[in-house]
Structures are given as C-alpha cells and as structure tokens.
C-alpha cells in the first residue's frame, strides 16, 4: 500500500528517479530520462517496476486534488507494455482521472517514448483511514527534478536482493517510506519484479499488476513468485510483522531479451 506525498519528506529514494510533473488542463504530465541505473540487471531495458512507480506518482498526485488534505492510499495498480521498454531516451506519461467517487478515485496513464506508445497503466485509490494523515501545507502536484539523480542500480539502492529462485527480499529503509511510515508501494513493485525475474533470466516484464492489501509496516518484505509459461503470481509478506500478506502481484514476461 502506498501514498503519494512530498518527496522531501518521504520516498526520497524514488524521487531520485528524476520524474518531473506539470499540470496541463485537467491532465498531469510527467517525464524522465532513462539511465543505466534504471535497467533490469543484465538487461539494458527500463524496469517495468519503475513505470509502476511513475504510474503511482502521476495518479496519486491527481488523487490528492480530490482527497486533500487527506492522504490517498493505493488499492490497485496495473502496467501493461506494448513492447519491451527502451534502454535510453525519455519516457513521457499523461495521467487523466477516470472516476472521481466518494470512496474511490481511479486514473489512467499513457506512457510513450521517442514519440511511440510504450505502455498503458491505471491505479485506484481511497483515502487513508487515519484522518490524522494529511499532505504537507506546501504540497504541490508539480514535481521538480531532484538535485541528486539515482547513481546506483535501483535494487542495489533499495537493498532489494534475490535470495534464490522466485524469492526477493526488500528491507525497510528511512528514505523509502510513505508519509505514514510504511514501505512505499513503488518499492514493493520492485520486490515483486525481482522475484518474478529471478525465474526468467534475461527477460523483462510485459505487465505488472499489484493489489495492496495492507501496509508493510516493519519489513523486510519477502516476495515469493511462481512462474509458468511466462505468467507469474507473486505473494508479498511483511516478514517482521507476523509474516502478514501485504499484497499480491501478477506478472507476465516478454521472455529472453533480444
């Protein structure tokens, strides 16, 4: 489960991905340059989990315009790629609200690269149950570029390691938290991706869908994947909090990279 917050206060690690945003009418536009630190290990292609992070950023920022001063909480997030992600260049995303209800907010995102469609994505949100969780007074949906871009591979930066076929472990880190002090949902997407890709060497994810069931409060989060014929299921558990199921994911691979 993840919230969209001021990157100066939380999830500073993900802010290093360099995603900038700006409003254009009722749409929120975002863009970032791909760097080698964003690649899948051993495969020169942008991580699908980073597209999940950027989806959460765009849609979550839009959600705050409805929920503010309350904080939005991600319920589901889904990314579907038309083709394997590129190794370099700029990725642009455009987010639009689809449903603005009393209890649920839904938004879609279209990603492109080099002028060509890259992926479609969506996410749904509800307000955080705790009314004491509020967005900062100086909160803005327009995010500037970070002063320090990501310098090391994302999994290494997050401390996310593969512990064997189908298993990835993500620790709790101070700069990877939500405003509520729980592990950011974008990093949970990374753990799911790492678990799935450990069963598909040389591959990348064609799709990644996540359901956030409850906050990962303690960590480490242990992602356990099963993969058959390119389709995988991942369980994500908060091992330091009674091994509670914090989320599930489905993933499909493109197969071995060309």
């Amino acid at each position: 489960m993840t919230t969209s917050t001021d990157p100066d206060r939380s999830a500073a690690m993900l802010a290093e991905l360099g995603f900038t945003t700006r409003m254009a009418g009722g749409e929120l536009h975002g863009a970032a340059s791909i760097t080698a630190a964003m690649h899948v290990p051993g495969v020169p292609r942008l991580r699908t989990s980073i597209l999940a992070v950027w989806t959460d950023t765009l849609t979550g920022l839009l959600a705050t315009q409805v929920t503010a001063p309350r904080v939005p909480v991600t319920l589901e997030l889904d990314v579907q790629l038309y083709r394997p992600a590129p190794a370099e260049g700029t990725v642009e995303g455009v987010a639009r609200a689809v449903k603005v209800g009393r209890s649920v907010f839904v938004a879609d995102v279209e990603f492109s690269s080099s002028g060509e469609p890259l992926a479609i994505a969506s996410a749904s949100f509800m307000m955080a149950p705790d009314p004491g969780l509020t967005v900062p007074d100086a909160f803005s949906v327009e995010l500037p570029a970070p002063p320090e871009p990501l310098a090391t591979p994302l999994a290494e930066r997050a401390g996310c390691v593969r512990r064997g076929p189908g298993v990835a472990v993500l620790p709790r880190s101070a700069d990877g938290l939500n405003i509520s002090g729980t592990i950011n949902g974008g990093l949970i997407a990374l753990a799911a991706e790492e678990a799935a890709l450990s069963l598909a060497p040389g591959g990348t994810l064609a799709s990644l869908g996540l359901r956030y069931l409850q906050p990962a409060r303690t960590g480490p989060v242990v992602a356990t994947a099963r993969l058959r014929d390119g389709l995988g299921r991942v369980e994500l558990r908060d091992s330091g909090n009674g091994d509670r199921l914090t989320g599930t994911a489905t993933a499909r691979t493109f197969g071995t990279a060309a």
Side-chain angles (χ1 to χ4, degrees):
M1 192 172 288
T2 181
T3 56
S4 298
T5 63
D6 185 339
D8 290 334
R9 294 187 55 181
S10 64
M13 184 189 309
L14 298 183
E16 294 173 14
L17 295 173
F19 201 62
T20 62
T21 61
R22 62 179 178 83
M23 287 299 301
E27 300 175 342
L28 187 62
H29 292 226
S33 296
I34 301 171
T35 69
M38 301 179 188
H39 288 173
V40 173
V43 183
R45 296 193 182 279
L46 175 69
R47 282 182 173 277
T48 299
S49 62
I50 291 179
L51 289 176
V53 170
W54 292 342
T55 297
D56 194 47
T57 299
L58 285 169
T59 57
L61 289 171
L62 277 182
T64 60
Q65 295 192 310
V66 177
T67 65
R70 298 278 293 277
V71 171
V73 175
T74 316
L75 298 174
E76 294 186 336
L77 189 152
D78 183 74
V79 180
Q80 305 279 337
L81 280 74
Y82 293 108
R83 54 188 169 85
E88 58 187 14
T90 299
V91 172
E92 297 178 336
V94 178
R96 306 174 183 87
V98 185
K99 174 181 173 61
V100 181
R102 291 184 177 182
S103 58
V104 176
F105 175 90
V106 181
D108 286 347
V109 183
E110 294 182 354
F111 287 105
S112 61
S113 179
S114 300
E116 294 294 327
L118 173 60
I120 53 176
S122 63
S124 61
F125 298 82
M126 61 175 280
M127 283 192 293
D130 182 356
L133 288 177
T134 59
V135 296
D137 291 339
F139 180 83
S140 173
V141 299
E142 299 200 344
L143 302 179
E148 297 293 334
L150 187 69
T152 58
L154 180 58
E156 180 181 340
R157 174 73 173 86
C160 184
V161 296
R162 300 180 185 183
R163 287 285 172 83
V167 179
V169 180
L170 171 74
R172 185 180 191 273
S173 57
D175 57 356
L177 304 179
N178 298 314
I179 197 171
S180 58
T182 60
I183 298 174
N184 188 279
L187 293 178
I188 291 175
L190 169 68
E193 179 184 48
E194 281 292 273
L197 290 181
S198 71
L199 298 173
T204 61
L205 295 187
S207 66
L208 179 61
L210 296 118
R211 290 182 176 86
Y212 297 98
L213 304 177
Q214 61 179 322
R217 301 185 182 281
T218 307
V221 170
V222 177
T224 305
R226 292 172 288 128
L227 190 68
R228 180 176 180 179
D229 295 330
L231 178 63
R233 181 76 167 174
V234 187
E235 286 191 350
L236 299 130
R237 295 185 176 273
D238 189 351
S239 63
N241 188 23
D243 210 32
R244 293 183 178 181
L245 185 66
T246 191
T248 61
T250 55
R252 186 177 289 279
T253 67
F254 278 116
T256 303

